[in-house]
Amino acid sequence: MMKMRTGTTSGDGELELRPGGMVVQKRTDHSSSVPRVIRVRVKYGSVHHEISINSQSTFGELKKILSGATGVHHQDMKIIYKDKERDSKMFLDLSGVKDRSKLILKEDPISQEKRLLELRKIAAKEKSTKAISDISSQVERLAGQLSAFDTVIGKGGKVEEKNLENLMEMLMNQLVKLDAISGDGDIKLKKKMQEERLQKYIEALDLLNIKNSTQPQPQPQYKERDSLTFDEEASRKPTISSSSPPVIITTRWETFDSNSGQTVKPVHPKFKWELFN
């Protein structure tokens, strides 16, 4: 068990760390007694609260019980016993609190202001941490585009100038957002790391822009057929004159009527044939 010596509002004494993490006044053998439940009467404004609590509890534990009854945060409380403010780490029985003892509860505006200020600091830190995390994700995505452009230009290709300008604008926007974040300690360190990272990408993009501007314009590649002129292409296609009439082929045959009155005379051969026996 951790032990320490410190001064309190009720005098000097040793403190010990309880398993729950609370630092309280150390109990000695001569001050120990059998714990029992006592009832104390606490006045808050014009209202009296009767609280049942273990006699060996601390004033801090009593404050937490009163917080539920009064709605006042336990860190904003002051407990007065016998005209003296009692520290939260002190035990009730060692401070002389007995059954039916009367205590006074007051709000501590200074403690309340400190607590609210601490809450605002925590909220601001969480907001800054989230903002830096979002910027880091965006920068990671933009770094992927930068790497893709670097690959294209490195292989002799050319990237449109507009794409490089858009990437530069997005990187600068992230740098402006990062500059608007304020914070100390861990926040300041994370912010500086992202700033250095963005500056490195911006410088790399500047070099790529210069290299891209000196790249030769790629010539389009055509096939042999595509290199023909329109006149050559037109000469290969058959043309049909629209002025010539269409040719119609029919299968009508001329017939002769046997009853027309004409006689067909036999035709004698004009050659003399020689017969062999």
Side-chain angles (χ1 to χ4, degrees):
M1 182 170 300
M2 182 182 294
K3 298 180 181 180
M4 63 187 76
R5 173 134 350 232
T6 184
T8 63
T9 57
S10 60
D12 295 337
E14 289 188 7
L15 302 179
E16 63 182 8
L17 181 64
R18 282 191 170 183
M22 179 179 289
V23 179
V24 298
Q25 182 184 14
K26 184 185 178 216
R27 305 189 68 88
T28 57
D29 292 339
H30 67 272
S31 63
S32 60
S33 59
V34 179
R36 61 192 182 92
V37 176
I38 60 175
R39 288 184 299 176
V40 295
R41 197 172 188 187
V42 182
K43 180 182 179 183
Y44 174 57
S46 59
V47 181
H48 290 80
H49 300 275
E50 192 167 283
I51 305 297
S52 296
I53 190 171
N54 190 295
S55 61
Q56 293 186 354
S57 298
T58 62
F59 282 94
E61 292 168 334
L62 176 60
K63 288 179 180 180
K64 291 182 179 179
I65 297 175
L66 288 169
S67 179
T70 61
V72 181
H73 197 279
H74 66 276
Q75 294 180 353
D76 303 339
M77 293 181 179
K78 289 195 302 183
I79 292 183
I80 309 298
Y81 178 61
K82 292 184 178 180
D83 299 326
K84 192 173 185 179
E85 180 181 355
R86 303 295 172 168
D87 191 88
S88 297
K89 303 178 182 66
M90 300 300 297
F91 290 101
L92 298 176
D93 58 346
L94 296 183
S95 300
V97 178
K98 301 176 182 178
D99 192 38
R100 301 289 183 178
S101 292
K102 296 180 180 181
L103 301 90
I104 299 175
L105 171 62
K106 293 183 178 181
E107 291 189 49
D108 186 0
I110 297 178
S111 298
Q112 184 180 28
E113 185 178 352
K114 288 181 179 179
R115 182 178 62 85
L116 294 178
L117 182 61
E118 187 65 25
L119 288 177
R120 285 195 291 268
K121 287 182 179 179
I122 294 174
K125 184 176 181 180
E126 292 177 351
K127 183 179 179 180
S128 298
T129 301
K130 185 179 184 304
I132 293 177
S133 178
D134 293 341
I135 291 174
S136 178
S137 299
Q138 290 296 325
V139 172
E140 190 71 26
R141 181 179 62 84
L142 297 176
Q145 295 185 24
L146 179 62
S147 178
F149 291 160
D150 183 43
T151 302
V152 173
I153 297 174
K155 292 181 178 180
K158 191 174 181 65
V159 178
E160 291 187 13
E161 186 177 352
K162 183 178 180 181
N163 292 337
L164 296 175
E165 291 177 354
N166 289 340
L167 180 56
M168 177 63 76
E169 183 180 356
M170 288 186 286
L171 287 172
M172 294 301 295
N173 286 340
Q174 297 303 318
L175 194 60
V176 171
K177 291 180 181 178
L178 197 61
D179 188 61
I181 298 175
S182 60
D184 298 326
D186 188 50
I187 298 296
K188 189 176 182 179
L189 180 61
K190 290 181 179 179
K191 178 182 176 181
K192 183 178 180 181
M193 291 175 59
Q194 292 301 322
E195 285 176 345
E196 293 175 352
R197 185 184 181 194
L198 275 168
Q199 289 291 350
K200 183 180 71 173
Y201 290 152
I202 291 172
E203 292 173 2
L205 184 57
D206 282 335
L207 295 177
L208 277 182
N209 205 354
I210 295 173
K211 188 176 181 180
N212 186 69
S213 63
T214 59
Q215 293 283 69
Q217 191 69 25
Q219 298 296 328
Q221 300 293 329
Y222 299 100
K223 295 181 181 179
E224 182 179 355
R225 181 179 179 277
D226 296 336
S227 62
L228 297 175
T229 63
F230 288 106
D231 294 337
E232 292 174 340
E233 190 73 24
S235 64
R236 289 191 174 190
K237 297 181 181 179
T239 57
I240 300 177
S241 176
S242 59
S243 60
S244 59
V247 179
I248 302 175
I249 301 175
T250 64
T251 57
R252 292 183 60 187
W253 299 91
E254 185 177 358
T255 58
F256 299 91
D257 191 356
S258 61
N259 299 325
S260 60
Q262 298 180 358
T263 59
V264 179
K265 295 181 181 182
V267 178
H268 297 283
K270 295 181 180 183
F271 304 98
K272 185 176 181 180
W273 300 89
E274 185 178 359
L275 302 174
F276 297 92
N277 293 327

